[in-house]
Coordinates of all heavy atoms in Angstrom, one line a residue:
I45 N 11.8 -22.9 -49.3 CA 10.4 -22.5 -49.2 C 9.9 -22.2 -47.8 O 9.2 -21.3 -47.6 CB 9.5 -23.7 -49.8 CG1 8.1 -23.1 -50.2 CG2 9.3 -24.8 -48.9 CD1 8.1 -22.1 -51.4
A46 N 10.5 -22.9 -46.8 CA 10.2 -22.6 -45.4 C 10.8 -21.2 -45.0 O 10.1 -20.5 -44.3 CB 10.9 -23.7 -44.5
V47 N 11.9 -20.9 -45.5 CA 12.5 -19.5 -45.3 C 11.5 -18.5 -45.9 O 11.2 -17.5 -45.3 CB 13.8 -19.4 -45.9 CG1 14.3 -17.9 -45.9 CG2 14.9 -20.2 -45.2
L48 N 10.9 -18.8 -47.1 CA 10.0 -17.9 -47.8 C 8.8 -17.7 -46.9 O 8.2 -16.6 -46.8 CB 9.7 -18.5 -49.2 CG 8.7 -17.6 -50.0 CD1 9.2 -16.3 -50.2 CD2 8.3 -18.3 -51.3
F49 N 8.3 -18.8 -46.3 CA 7.1 -18.7 -45.4 C 7.4 -17.7 -44.3 O 6.5 -17.0 -43.9 CB 6.7 -20.1 -44.9 CG 6.2 -21.0 -45.9 CD1 6.4 -22.4 -45.8 CD2 5.6 -20.6 -47.1 CE1 5.9 -23.3 -46.7 CE2 5.1 -21.5 -48.0 CZ 5.2 -22.9 -47.8
V50 N 8.6 -17.8 -43.7 CA 8.9 -16.9 -42.6 C 8.9 -15.5 -43.0 O 8.3 -14.6 -42.4 CB 10.3 -17.3 -42.0 CG1 10.7 -16.3 -40.9 CG2 10.2 -18.7 -41.3
V51 N 9.5 -15.2 -44.2 CA 9.6 -13.9 -44.7 C 8.2 -13.4 -45.1 O 7.8 -12.2 -44.7 CB 10.4 -13.8 -46.0 CG1 10.3 -12.5 -46.7 CG2 11.9 -14.2 -45.7
V52 N 7.4 -14.2 -45.6 CA 6.0 -13.7 -46.0 C 5.2 -13.3 -44.7 O 4.5 -12.3 -44.7 CB 5.2 -14.8 -46.8 CG1 3.7 -14.5 -46.9 CG2 5.9 -15.0 -48.2
R53 N 5.3 -14.2 -43.7 CA 4.7 -13.9 -42.4 C 5.2 -12.6 -41.8 O 4.4 -11.8 -41.2 CB 4.7 -15.0 -41.4 CG 3.9 -16.2 -41.7 CD 4.0 -17.3 -40.7 NE 3.0 -18.4 -40.9 CZ 1.8 -18.4 -40.2 NH1 1.5 -17.4 -39.4 NH2 1.0 -19.4 -40.5
A54 N 6.5 -12.4 -41.9 CA 7.1 -11.2 -41.4 C 6.6 -10.0 -42.1 O 6.3 -8.9 -41.5 CB 8.6 -11.3 -41.3
V55 N 6.6 -10.1 -43.4 CA 6.2 -8.9 -44.2 C 4.7 -8.6 -44.0 O 4.3 -7.4 -44.0 CB 6.4 -9.2 -45.7 CG1 5.8 -8.1 -46.6 CG2 7.9 -9.2 -46.0
T56 N 3.8 -9.6 -43.9 CA 2.4 -9.4 -43.8 C 2.1 -9.2 -42.2 O 0.9 -9.0 -41.9 CB 1.7 -10.6 -44.3 OG1 2.1 -11.8 -43.7 CG2 1.9 -10.7 -45.8
R57 N 3.1 -9.2 -41.3 CA 2.8 -9.0 -39.9 C 1.9 -10.1 -39.4 O 1.0 -9.7 -38.5 CB 2.3 -7.6 -39.6 CG 3.4 -6.6 -40.0 CD 3.0 -5.2 -39.6 NE 4.0 -4.2 -39.9 CZ 3.9 -2.9 -39.6 NH1 2.8 -2.4 -39.0 NH2 4.9 -2.0 -39.9
S58 N 2.0 -11.2 -39.8 CA 1.2 -12.4 -39.3 C 2.0 -13.1 -38.2 O 3.2 -12.8 -38.1 CB 0.9 -13.4 -40.5 OG 0.2 -12.8 -41.5
P59 N 1.4 -13.9 -37.4 CA 2.1 -14.6 -36.3 C 3.3 -15.4 -37.0 O 3.0 -16.3 -37.8 CB 1.1 -15.5 -35.7 CG -0.2 -14.8 -36.0 CD -0.1 -14.1 -37.2
I60 N 4.5 -15.2 -36.6 CA 5.6 -15.7 -37.3 C 6.1 -17.1 -36.7 O 6.8 -17.8 -37.3 CB 6.8 -14.7 -37.3 CG1 7.9 -15.0 -38.4 CG2 7.4 -14.6 -35.9 CD1 8.9 -14.0 -38.6
L61 N 5.7 -17.2 -35.4 CA 6.2 -18.4 -34.7 C 5.9 -19.8 -35.4 O 6.8 -20.6 -35.5 CB 5.7 -18.5 -33.3 CG 6.3 -19.6 -32.4 CD1 7.8 -19.5 -32.2 CD2 5.6 -19.6 -31.0
P62 N 4.7 -20.0 -36.0 CA 4.5 -21.3 -36.6 C 5.4 -21.5 -37.8 O 6.0 -22.7 -38.0 CB 3.0 -21.2 -37.1 CG 2.4 -20.2 -36.2 CD 3.5 -19.2 -35.9
A63 N 5.7 -20.5 -38.6 CA 6.6 -20.6 -39.7 C 8.1 -20.9 -39.2 O 8.8 -21.7 -39.8 CB 6.6 -19.4 -40.6
V64 N 8.5 -20.2 -38.1 CA 9.8 -20.4 -37.6 C 10.0 -21.8 -37.1 O 11.0 -22.4 -37.3 CB 10.1 -19.4 -36.5 CG1 11.4 -19.7 -35.8 CG2 10.1 -17.9 -37.1
V65 N 9.0 -22.3 -36.4 CA 9.1 -23.7 -35.8 C 9.2 -24.7 -37.0 O 10.0 -25.6 -37.0 CB 7.9 -24.0 -35.0 CG1 7.8 -25.5 -34.6 CG2 7.9 -23.1 -33.7
G66 N 8.4 -24.4 -38.0 CA 8.5 -25.3 -39.2 C 9.8 -25.2 -39.9 O 10.4 -26.3 -40.3
L67 N 10.4 -24.0 -40.0 CA 11.7 -23.9 -40.6 C 12.8 -24.6 -39.8 O 13.6 -25.3 -40.4 CB 12.0 -22.4 -40.7 CG 13.4 -22.1 -41.1 CD1 13.8 -22.6 -42.5 CD2 13.7 -20.5 -41.1
V68 N 12.7 -24.5 -38.5 CA 13.7 -25.2 -37.6 C 13.6 -26.7 -37.8 O 14.6 -27.4 -38.0 CB 13.5 -24.8 -36.2 CG1 14.4 -25.7 -35.2 CG2 13.8 -23.4 -35.9
G69 N 12.4 -27.2 -37.8 CA 12.3 -28.7 -38.0 C 12.8 -29.1 -39.4 O 13.5 -30.1 -39.5
I70 N 12.5 -28.4 -40.5 CA 12.8 -28.7 -41.8 C 14.4 -28.6 -41.9 O 15.0 -29.4 -42.6 CB 12.2 -27.8 -42.8 CG1 10.6 -28.2 -42.9 CG2 12.7 -28.0 -44.2 CD1 9.8 -27.2 -43.6
A71 N 15.0 -27.5 -41.4 CA 16.4 -27.3 -41.4 C 17.1 -28.5 -40.7 O 18.2 -29.0 -41.2 CB 16.7 -26.0 -40.9
L72 N 16.7 -28.9 -39.5 CA 17.3 -30.0 -38.8 C 17.2 -31.2 -39.5 O 18.3 -32.0 -39.6 CB 16.7 -30.1 -37.4 CG 16.9 -29.0 -36.4 CD1 16.1 -29.3 -35.1 CD2 18.4 -28.9 -36.1

């Protein structure tokens, strides 16, 4: 779901950094 958040932000051209930081934390 965190990967999906990153993809959605990228597609909608929203600030992507918050989702990427979240993904890194969840993945670790």
Side-chain angles (χ1 to χ4, degrees):
I45 199 69
V47 171
L48 179 61
F49 291 152
V50 172
V51 172
V52 169
R53 281 182 176 264
V55 170
T56 59
R57 297 186 177 181
S58 302
I60 198 172
L61 184 59
V64 171
V65 171
L67 172 60
V68 170
I70 292 170
L72 288 174

